Amino acid sequence: MITNRRKHIVVAMTLIAPFVFIFALVFLYPTLKMVELSFTNAPLIGSGEWVGLDNYRRLFNDNLFYTSLKNNGYFVLLTVVPTTVIALAIALAVNRLAGSMQALVLAVFFLPYILPVSVVTQIWAWMLDFQFGILQPLIEWVTGKPVAVFNHPSWVMPAVASITIWWTNGFNVLLFIAGLRNISPDLYEAAALDGASRRQLFMKITWPLLWPVTALVLTLQLILQLKLFDQVYLLSGGGPFNSSYVLLMMVYREAFQLNHGGYASAVAVILFVLIMIVSVLQFQLLRIGGRK
């Protein structure tokens, strides 16, 4: 029995060894190196002197850091809950279809998700172009005048948020569809026999059983939206007047434009800790809410 147990342990270690090696190589080592760099004044490439907590003191006295943090939080408010609600509504509608029609509609909603960010931003930059954008007549009808969306402090973040929801929501729809298909039809049939209305079916069966998927979607979206960079960089460059400047743009600027590797690492460490704390806290709160 002891020999068989040792063989099982050897086999298990052999199976997980490739994952552990790759994880250590591409995630753990870079993370530890980033933390180490954050305590130095090193450039992006090369060594530097140990400066202790100087980078963090400088960071917490940097107004641009607080502006970026505020913009990240604003973007999270604009995207995380709205994209979850929209995805759930689409999934409920698609789930009522059947056969090839359901597959077609689902493919239409999922199609934007497979597009690279450069294509997505180019499409929307063209549609919202101040002079030739095909959506400018609609904006002019609402506001009374054309609006340079990505050059307007009040419009830029909602616009980027709307584009992000359109681009990424297909994946969330798939998650909700999978959750809906795991709910036994027998539950709905039994409730219908008892005279339950559609609202009662949703509130008493669908929503409680779909809550784990909802918690997963909310947590994934929170993590993804806190890491906002590509859309803002390509559409607005952080402007105008830093109104769309986010934390990863600060990391990019300090590291690749100003060659401040140590300071950029300090910003990245703060973002990493923020994502970890907020996502774990949110997931635990959602789990507690799901048990009630």
Side-chain angles (χ1 to χ4, degrees):
M1 291 179 63
I2 295 175
T3 302
N4 289 336
R5 185 178 180 184
R6 287 176 177 174
K7 288 181 179 179
H8 291 159
I9 292 175
V10 170
V11 171
M13 295 300 294
T14 303
L15 291 174
I16 67 173
F19 168 78
V20 172
F21 174 75
I22 295 174
F23 177 81
L25 181 65
V26 303
F27 179 78
L28 186 60
Y29 173 74
T31 301
L32 295 175
K33 191 65 177 177
M34 177 186 69
V35 174
E36 179 187 351
L37 280 175
S38 70
F39 295 104
T40 70
N41 61 0
L44 183 61
I45 299 176
S47 58
E49 298 178 355
W50 184 268
V51 295
L53 296 174
D54 285 357
N55 286 327
Y56 294 95
R57 294 191 189 98
R58 174 186 168 191
L59 180 63
F60 289 116
N61 288 308
D62 191 339
N63 289 330
L64 187 58
F65 169 72
Y66 292 104
T67 299
S68 304
L69 190 62
K70 181 190 71 173
N71 290 335
N72 271 94
Y74 181 40
F75 189 78
V76 164
L77 291 176
L78 289 173
T79 54
V80 173
V81 173
T83 193
T84 304
V85 173
I86 293 171
L88 176 59
I90 293 173
L92 290 171
V94 171
N95 197 53
R96 295 176 62 85
L97 302 175
S100 58
M101 179 58 69
Q102 185 185 69
L104 177 62
V105 174
L106 190 59
V108 169
F109 283 111
F110 188 74
L111 181 62
Y113 185 72
I114 66 176
L115 297 176
V117 63
S118 56
V119 174
V120 171
T121 53
Q122 190 64 34
I123 291 172
W124 283 93
W126 171 68
M127 290 198 296
L128 293 171
D129 183 79
F130 181 70
Q131 291 183 314
F132 308 107
I134 60 174
L135 293 182
Q136 280 298 331
L138 176 61
I139 295 174
E140 186 174 2
W141 179 75
V142 173
T143 64
K145 61 179 180 180
V147 177
V149 173
F150 302 115
N151 290 318
H152 195 289
S154 300
W155 279 74
V156 60
M157 288 301 276
V160 174
S162 300
I163 293 168
T164 301
I165 292 173
W166 175 84
W167 175 37
T168 62
N169 220 21
F171 180 70
N172 301 327
V173 172
L174 280 184
L175 291 177
F176 279 120
I177 288 289
L180 288 169
R181 288 179 177 176
N182 281 329
I183 301 176
S184 174
D186 296 340
L187 297 174
Y188 293 109
E189 292 175 4
L193 290 174
D194 289 336
S197 64
R198 285 188 177 180
R199 181 178 180 279
Q200 289 173 324
L201 291 176
F202 176 77
M203 297 302 298
K204 299 299 183 180
I205 298 177
T206 305
W207 180 244
L209 294 178
L210 212 57
W211 182 255
V213 179
T214 305
L216 175 64
V217 171
L218 286 169
T219 303
L220 289 176
Q221 287 303 307
L222 178 66
I223 295 171
L224 290 173
Q225 308 313 345
L226 281 172
K227 297 191 298 181
L228 171 69
F229 174 75
D230 299 348
Q231 307 93 291
V232 168
Y233 178 76
L234 293 171
L235 289 170
S236 67
F241 312 115
N242 295 330
S243 58
S244 62
Y245 203 88
V246 290
L247 288 173
L248 274 182
M249 289 203 68
M250 191 174 182
V251 174
Y252 172 79
R253 175 176 176 268
E254 294 294 335
F256 296 99
Q257 294 181 334
L258 301 179
N259 199 31
H260 297 159
Y263 189 57
S265 297
V267 181
V269 168
I270 294 297
L271 179 59
F272 175 78
V273 172
L274 177 66
I275 291 174
M276 184 173 61
I277 293 175
V278 173
S279 59
V280 170
L281 181 61
Q282 175 187 276
F283 189 72
Q284 293 302 321
L285 290 174
L286 290 172
R287 284 185 62 188
I288 294 172
R291 294 170 183 168
K292 294 181 179 179

